[in-house]
Amino acid sequence: MKSLWYTLKPEFLSVEEYRSHLTAGGMAKIFFISGTAPVNFINRRKIEGRPVRANINSNGHRLFKVSDVIAAAKASAKKITPPIAGFEERENAENRIADLRAIEQQLETSIDELKSKLSSLELAQAADCKLGFALLSQEALAKSASRSIPKSGVYFLLQDDEVVYVGQGTSVLTRIGNHIADPEKEFNGYCFIECEPESMNLLESVYIHLFAPKHNGRIGRNMDRIRAPLSMSAINEAFGITVDKVA
């Protein structure tokens, strides 16, 4: 009397094939379940909450025992048949089509990038002719850009080559922006020196006394002394020098 195990084995399968462990896709090379690849049956069982037992090999692939899949299929009244002729060739063709579609997508992306670069080149050439100078590339701008935004320091407002105002702030760019909106201060350039907040009074005062900018305030009865956070005597004490007046 044949065992149940042997009775469930389809005649067209060898004992080795019936005992083997394969991936869901690999089983389609040796048998079908009710006219479709075994992977469809395996996935359906998983969705129904009745997954076919599988082991994970060293490559991370899920391997199913052929006999377990066939037993589960027959228990569900499914028919086990030899693989459909041409299935492997059709599967290879479908994979090839998928590869070609991926290549097509890559080519379309490359074409779009080339069109964008061509448009950028045309714009740059037009600007060169109209403005009389070449536009800087992103690479050139990146090389010349400051990599940090100054948080605190002393700044200078300039009218051409003359320093017309010296100030300080914990947010230098914000302070300069405020001056731009001030109609009483005329300037066409600025620069700044970063420094720690505790050094700003001293550094600002030194430059104010040194340059006597016209937009910095004046004090005294005759308004003849420049306004600065620190007087010259305080600066002398800080530096250990004796200077009466600079500007």
Side-chain angles (χ1 to χ4, degrees), residues 55-128:
N55 296 317
I56 308 297
N57 68 4
S58 58
N59 294 324
H61 297 143
R62 293 172 60 84
L63 298 181
F64 299 87
K65 192 174 182 180
V66 172
S67 59
D68 288 346
V69 174
I70 290 176
K74 287 194 172 184
S76 300
K78 302 295 183 181
K79 187 176 181 181
I80 308 301
T81 60
I84 296 175
F87 171 78
E88 187 172 354
E89 290 78 5
R90 185 170 69 250
E91 185 178 37
N92 291 336
E94 290 175 351
N95 291 336
R96 181 58 180 163
I97 290 173
D99 291 340
L100 290 174
R101 285 175 177 168
I103 293 173
E104 180 185 22
Q105 183 63 42
Q106 292 174 356
L107 289 174
E108 289 177 352
T109 301
S110 298
I111 290 172
D112 290 340
E113 291 176 352
L114 288 173
K115 287 181 178 178
S116 177
K117 289 181 179 179
L118 181 60
S119 298
S120 298
L121 180 60
E122 291 175 351
L123 177 61
Q125 290 175 340
D128 191 0

Side-chain angles (χ1 to χ4, degrees), residues 165-166 208 213-219 223 225-228:
Y165 185 85
V166 177
I208 289 176
K214 66 180 182 180
H215 288 316
N216 284 92
R218 296 313 193 260
I219 58 175
M223 304 297 288
R225 289 186 291 133
I226 193 76
R227 183 191 299 275

